[in-house]
Amino acid sequence: MSKTIRLDKYLSDMTSETRSKVKEYIRKGRITANGVVIKTPETKVDTESDEICIDGKQVGYVEYYYYMMNKPQGVITSTEKGKTKTVMDVFKETEVNCPRFDELSPVGRLDKDTEGLLLITNDGELNHKLLSPKNHVDKVYYAELRNPVKASDIEIFSSGLDLGDFICKPAKLEICDSENKFAAKITISEGKFHQVKRMFEAVENEVMYLKRLSMGSLVLDKNLQLGEVRELTVEEIIRLKEI
């Protein structure tokens, strides 16, 4: 979407340079807008129609970024720096460079020992839509369990499991292989703290391994290794926004 912003903000948003460094570039005449040298940082430019260049190299404007991460175990879903490694620390270790990295945040949370799909974006509106209870966005997990899944578990999950402090919405529990009833897929439309683990605990079972496979229309890329990140395709973004 087109909008008008200050030239120095435009450049600081789209480069790794600080606002003061960008202003220095502008004052030195290194920046052009539509072929004209601009030397005032506060000059307003249109993010869509104006062609902005640094030393003759065009710098396009992108407002929102969308990334898929295959979250590894042992890291927490947080943007805050601390003693424990975060998913944003993992992001920094990849070769993916986002000019607006400081604006990014994960959508929802995965437990420290849970692997799989994690959406990371600076699109606050989409973040809110995906997490809003009223939208009932399905999340699919693969679980390996201490005990085999029973037929009665499937019925209990589908009827809405009572965890004491809240009653889960109906969930879909599927045995992955008729020969291996220790592995299952579960689809939930909520995201309560430790929900999947607590649901299995409620039927006297224990999750030994947990991986998120999908969130809404977004499916974990099978080619994405643990700890890797890639940008979403245009099609994936469009489908996600069709909530």
Side-chain angles (χ1 to χ4, degrees):
M1 182 182 295
S2 174
K3 65 178 183 179
T4 302
I5 60 175
R6 286 172 54 119
L7 178 60
D8 55 350
K9 174 171 171 53
Y10 182 112
L11 293 170
S12 63
D13 281 350
M14 302 315 302
T15 68
S16 57
E17 303 291 0
T18 62
R19 186 73 73 94
S20 60
K21 195 67 175 178
V22 163
K23 289 180 178 179
E24 181 183 325
Y25 291 167
I26 295 171
R27 294 191 179 102
K28 287 184 176 180
R30 296 176 59 184
I31 312 300
T32 61
N34 303 319
V36 178
V37 174
I38 305 296
K39 291 191 174 183
T40 51
E42 63 272 16
T43 299
K44 295 295 182 65
V45 295
D46 188 287
T47 58
E48 191 171 290
S49 62
D50 288 334
E51 182 180 285
I52 309 301
C53 297
I54 299 178
D55 298 329
K57 185 177 181 180
Q58 185 172 351
V59 180
Y61 193 87
V62 179
E63 185 170 11
Y64 296 123
Y65 287 85
Y66 308 86
Y67 297 96
M68 174 191 299
M69 173 183 284
N70 188 354
K71 178 193 173 295
Q73 293 184 6
V75 296
I76 60 174
T77 310
S78 173
T79 58
E80 297 180 4
K81 294 182 180 180
K83 294 182 179 180
T84 306
K85 191 173 185 179
T86 72
V87 292
M88 302 313 294
D89 293 327
V90 173
F91 194 116
K92 284 183 178 180
E93 294 171 357
T94 70
E95 296 181 355
V96 178
N97 179 33
C98 178
R100 308 181 78 160
F101 177 83
D102 290 341
E103 298 177 10
L104 298 176
S105 62
V107 178
R109 291 181 179 272
L110 289 179
D111 294 341
K112 185 177 180 179
D113 59 353
T114 300
E115 297 179 357
L117 175 68
L118 187 65
L119 174 62
I120 299 175
T121 182
N122 64 335
D123 187 338
E125 182 178 351
L126 178 62
N127 192 325
H128 176 74
K129 284 183 177 180
L130 290 172
L131 298 180
S132 175
K134 70 178 183 180
N135 290 324
H136 308 297
V137 176
D138 283 345
K139 304 163 199 65
V140 181
Y141 294 83
Y142 166 77
E144 293 178 0
L145 307 159
R146 182 176 295 278
N147 304 312
V149 175
K150 303 185 294 291
S152 58
D153 296 338
I154 297 174
E155 183 178 346
I156 292 171
F157 276 45
S158 67
S159 63
L161 190 58
D162 188 347
L163 296 183
D165 54 339
F166 77 97
I167 298 176
C168 302
K169 293 183 183 299
K172 184 178 181 181
L173 178 61
E174 305 169 85
I175 298 172
C176 290
D177 186 337
S178 59
E179 300 297 320
N180 177 19
K181 296 185 179 181
F182 291 84
K185 283 185 181 179
I186 175 173
T187 304
I188 61 174
S189 60
E190 302 162 293
K192 303 289 186 180
F193 187 64
H194 292 323
Q195 181 172 341
V196 174
K197 294 176 182 177
R198 292 183 63 197
M199 291 174 77
F200 280 107
E201 287 173 0
V203 292
E204 301 182 340
N205 210 332
E206 182 182 358
V207 174
M208 308 304 294
Y209 170 81
L210 190 62
K211 180 177 185 177
R212 184 156 67 186
L213 304 178
S214 66
M215 182 178 190
S217 62
L218 188 63
V219 179
L220 180 64
D221 188 333
K222 293 181 179 179
N223 295 317
L224 204 62
Q225 300 301 308
L226 285 171
E228 290 186 341
V229 174
R230 74 158 171 83
E231 284 195 70
L232 266 58
T233 65
V234 173
E235 181 180 352
E236 286 172 333
I237 296 169
I238 291 174
R239 290 183 64 196
L240 263 182
K241 292 186 174 184
E242 293 175 344
I243 298 174

